[in-house]
Amino acid sequence: MSQTIYPIGIQNFEKIRKDGYLYIDKTAWVYQLANTGSYYFLSRPRRFGKSLLLSTIEAYLQGKKELFNGLAIEKLEKEWKAYPVLHLDLNAERYSEAGALESILRRYLNLWEDRWGKDEREITPADRFTGVIRRACEKSKQRVVILVDEYDKPLLQAIGDERLQEEFRSILKAFYGVLKTMDGYIKLAFLTGVTKFGKVSVFSDLNNLMDISMDNRYVEICGITEKEIHTYMEDSLRELAEAQGLNNEETCRKLKERYDGYHFTEDSIGIYNPFSLLNTFAKKKFGDYWFETGTPSYLVELLKHTHYDLYEMANTETDADVLNSIDAASRNPIPVIYQSGYLTIKDYDAEFGIYKLGFPNLEVEEGFVKYLLPFYTNVSAAKTPFEIGQFVREIRTGNYDAFFKRLQSFFADTPYEVITGQKPERNTELHYQNVLFIVFKLVGLYTKVEYHTANGRIDLVLQTERYIYLMEFKLNGTAEEALQQINEKQYALPFYNDNRKLFKIGVNFSSETRNIERWIVEK
């Protein structure tokens, strides 16, 4: 039995090293960062090790040599100088009102001024920050290290409130702008966050900031690689396999399927979600650990606000400019969803510079789609697993009538705001497509589903052990027309030699009643 202690929820490097927690050595990258540049930005999803990375940089640049015994940096660093460090963590606060951001900045500025001195003439947060940097450098005779954890938390929490977001933006723009004006006093500045707000936002003046979010050299700086699993956690892997009654190969395959698959550049190795992986090893059980810590509601607000087609989200193509930056005025939710870790790079067309995106792994796909269901239907989050279980049972037993009646209940009492806006008919169509996308994505976790959508219609193939369903959904057509299309387009042709029972089902969805009106079945 291994005695590995997993650092779940522990983001302090010194505590991890002193208390004997598992540490996966990322210090070679830390040394490279600190000795080859001055200003960095890194975007990674939440719970991906960004805070631990900053804590590691802090310990290194404070000269705490004893914490790095046996790590890669021990052989690289010869001098171990101690620099003054100003570490700002914006993660812990709730930014629901205007004063919240200024309050947390005041708290940190007070602490730094207690250490490095104060000038009463400095009033604004930006002025005080400037003064602290200058005094810290002059008193220590060393340039200053500035670390900002989750720089974007206030902006993300205010994503649905343009007035509040504008207020936060103007405060942060001036505050972070100090990094450029005080260049001569700064040894290293490192900002982390989930997203990168660009153009008219906080980074517009920080053109000296190197963004390493999509930089091949630093792909492995946060998260865990397959090689690292085998280097640091081979015993844990064996114990998990034993607990689950699997062999090592099956266990590795299941870990990969559930938690691997993050690609932050084209053609890069897959990165595992560290939070989910460590929880799985600690509890010796596969689970949706990343989702249990809460999904940001701003994502759903953004999807609903922009009337976004979820089918497009799971099959989207875009370029690096879109992925890299969030324009505060943009109505495209894809950069936020990508940078938040719900989509990742699946493929890259080098000729046109186009990235194809998709869900990174099963945990994210299942968790995100389950999370969306209550926001698009009248089904509560607590009832979602039950409803999906019923759908799957009905499909497996060939009870299509019960299946469609259940689906009708999902559309009943659709919230009015779903179809309001400039194009209510288009929004109704989108809503019905989005609900079907969510339902069939979830059903597809247990059965085989092929799903296509175009111009007010959806065609769908659903396969179980005993049955094959060919479905055509039409908006404002008739069920007969939908069935006729299945026959005309010969959707059943690939299954003629299949022993399973085949159902062809034409379905009509009415925008007037905002529900499935009728379905007819040909066996």
Side-chain angles (χ1 to χ4, degrees):
M1 189 82 171
S2 72
Q3 293 303 308
T4 308
I5 317 171
Y6 301 96
I8 295 163
I10 297 169
Q11 299 161 348
N12 183 275
F13 177 74
E14 187 165 343
K15 181 175 180 179
I16 284 172
R17 295 295 286 164
K18 283 184 172 175
D19 294 358
Y21 288 94
L22 171 72
Y23 177 69
I24 291 165
D25 191 354
K26 304 286 186 181
T27 60
W29 286 285
V30 167
Y31 179 84
Q32 188 176 320
L33 280 169
N35 291 281
T36 57
S38 292
Y39 296 88
Y40 296 99
F41 169 73
L42 176 68
S43 159
R44 285 291 181 269
R46 64 192 175 84
R47 300 263 182 193
F48 236 82
K50 300 187 298 293
S51 300
L52 176 57
L53 174 65
L54 288 190
S55 179
T56 309
I57 294 169
E58 180 171 17
Y60 165 49
L61 291 174
Q62 284 177 333
K64 295 181 176 179
K65 184 180 177 180
E66 74 286 355
L67 297 177
F68 294 86
N69 288 341
L71 299 179
I73 210 167
E74 186 184 28
K75 293 177 182 151
L76 299 169
E77 182 57 72
K78 303 291 180 267
E79 295 184 338
W80 292 98
K81 283 185 187 173
Y83 298 90
V85 176
L86 305 179
H87 190 157
L88 172 63
D89 183 358
L90 294 179
N91 201 26
E93 193 67 54
R94 273 196 65 76
Y95 300 94
S96 51
E97 52 189 51
L101 176 58
E102 286 203 314
S103 170
I104 198 165
L105 292 180
R106 268 198 307 274
R107 197 182 316 152
Y108 277 96
L109 287 163
N110 289 340
L111 285 170
W112 298 335
E113 285 169 344
D114 288 346
R115 173 78 177 84
W116 300 108
K118 186 175 181 174
D119 185 332
E120 297 297 340
R121 292 168 297 181
E122 295 159 4
I123 306 297
T124 67
D127 281 345
R128 291 173 68 187
F129 193 30
T130 304
V132 165
I133 293 169
R134 189 180 63 254
R135 286 187 291 277
C137 182
E138 288 167 353
K139 287 185 178 183
S140 68
K141 304 288 190 288
Q142 296 288 355
R143 285 182 176 165
V144 180
V145 175
I146 294 159
L147 306 173
V148 183
D149 202 356
E150 304 289 5
Y151 92 95
D152 55 350
K153 187 81 178 280
L155 298 170
L156 280 174
Q157 287 199 350
I159 214 160
D161 185 334
E162 285 178 29
R163 185 195 58 76
L164 189 59
Q165 198 179 67
E166 184 52 51
E167 192 163 324
F168 288 161
R169 199 180 300 121
S170 62
I171 294 168
L172 290 175
K173 193 173 177 182
F175 193 79
Y176 296 140
V178 171
L179 301 181
K180 191 170 182 182
T181 59
M182 297 301 286
D183 181 37
Y185 294 86
I186 294 171
K187 153 78 176 163
L188 178 78
F190 199 116
L191 284 76
T192 73
V194 169
T195 56
K196 183 175 177 183
F197 284 83
K199 295 183 182 170
V200 297
S201 195
V202 296
F203 280 151
S204 53
D205 296 334
L206 274 180
N207 51 13
N208 58 339
L209 200 64
M210 183 189 287
D211 184 359
I212 60 170
S213 309
M214 295 180 76
D215 187 327
N216 260 318
R217 296 169 300 168
Y218 296 105
V219 160
E220 298 174 43
I221 200 165
C222 288
I224 296 173
T225 66
E226 195 158 318
K227 186 181 175 187
E228 286 167 338
I229 292 175
H230 293 296
T231 303
Y232 295 94
M233 294 174 273
E234 199 66 60
D235 286 349
S236 304
L237 200 56
R238 249 190 327 271
E239 287 168 17
L240 174 64
E242 207 176 295
Q244 290 294 313
L246 303 170
N247 63 36
N248 263 29
E249 198 181 313
E250 290 166 335
T251 306
C252 290
R253 191 166 57 245
K254 199 161 180 183
L255 284 171
K256 193 175 187 64
E257 182 183 57
R258 289 199 69 80
Y259 308 124
D260 186 19
Y262 287 93
H263 297 272
F264 300 108
T265 67
E266 63 273 15
D267 304 322
S268 70
I269 60 167
I271 302 291
Y272 285 75
N273 182 322
F275 187 77
S276 295
L277 199 61
L278 294 177
N279 269 285
T280 302
F281 284 138
K283 296 175 182 176
K284 298 181 179 52
K285 184 182 174 186
F286 296 98
D288 295 331
Y289 299 109
W290 195 55
F291 273 87
E292 284 167 10
T293 62
T295 299
S297 56
Y298 65 77
L299 286 177
V300 178
E301 289 309 314
L302 203 56
L303 286 169
K304 287 174 73 178
H305 182 64
T306 54
H307 294 289
Y308 202 79
D309 185 340
L310 297 179
Y311 178 82
E312 290 297 317
M313 181 194 77
N315 300 274
T316 196
E317 295 186 347
T318 188
D319 62 18
D321 285 346
V322 172
L323 288 188
N324 249 330
S325 184
I326 294 167
D327 174 0
S330 171
R331 291 177 62 82
N332 182 1
I334 287 301
V336 185
I337 295 166
Y338 164 75
Q339 291 176 18
S340 301
Y342 297 89
L343 293 175
T344 196
I345 296 166
K346 288 290 189 184
D347 204 2
Y348 180 64
D349 183 334
E351 185 181 1
F352 301 105
I354 297 295
Y355 293 93
K356 184 173 183 187
L357 305 183
F359 293 114
N361 54 47
L362 194 58
E363 183 195 18
V364 172
E365 180 174 9
E366 184 179 354
F368 191 46
V369 179
K370 263 185 190 167
Y371 181 76
L372 289 175
L373 188 63
F375 293 93
Y376 285 86
T377 67
N378 62 359
V379 176
S380 69
K383 280 195 77 181
T384 296
F386 168 79
E387 293 288 351
I388 297 304
Q390 291 295 95
F391 270 137
V392 173
R393 275 188 282 276
E394 286 153 5
I395 285 164
R396 282 178 180 165
T397 56
N399 192 352
Y400 47 80
D401 278 332
F403 175 87
F404 280 107
K405 281 173 186 163
R406 187 174 304 281
L407 199 51
Q408 277 182 322
S409 75
F410 272 44
F411 286 106
D413 308 319
T414 299
Y416 179 68
E417 65 267 18
V418 167
I419 58 151
T420 56
Q422 292 177 321
K423 299 174 182 173
E425 188 164 313
R426 172 65 185 139
N427 292 342
T428 302
E429 178 188 329
L430 249 183
H431 178 67
Y432 111 86
Q433 287 184 348
N434 282 340
V435 172
L436 291 178
F437 172 82
I438 292 168
V439 168
F440 287 112
K441 261 287 175 198
L442 292 172
V443 167
L445 297 168
Y446 308 93
T447 61
K448 193 176 173 191
V449 172
E450 290 171 56
Y451 179 102
H452 307 281
T453 174
N455 300 328
R457 42 170 286 263
I458 286 169
D459 65 76
L460 187 130
V461 181
L462 202 153
Q463 299 179 56
T464 70
E465 226 172 275
R466 294 163 56 201
Y467 301 101
I468 298 167
Y469 300 85
L470 303 177
M471 303 185 195
E472 179 74 30
F473 291 79
K474 271 199 181 296
L475 177 68
N476 298 330
T478 66
E480 285 79 6
E481 285 169 350
L483 186 59
Q484 187 183 343
Q485 183 151 335
I486 292 173
N487 288 321
E488 281 176 0
K489 299 256 178 155
Q490 296 190 302
Y491 291 159
L493 204 56
F495 304 104
Y496 276 160
N497 294 323
D498 200 298
N499 291 326
R500 290 172 291 180
K501 192 166 186 179
L502 180 72
F503 297 110
K504 301 175 190 175
I505 306 174
V507 188
N508 170 43
F509 186 95
S510 161
S511 59
E512 195 178 321
T513 61
R514 305 203 300 275
N515 209 325
I516 288 171
E517 219 169 37
R518 196 163 159 261
W519 58 91
I520 55 172
V521 180
E522 189 180 293
K523 296 177 186 176

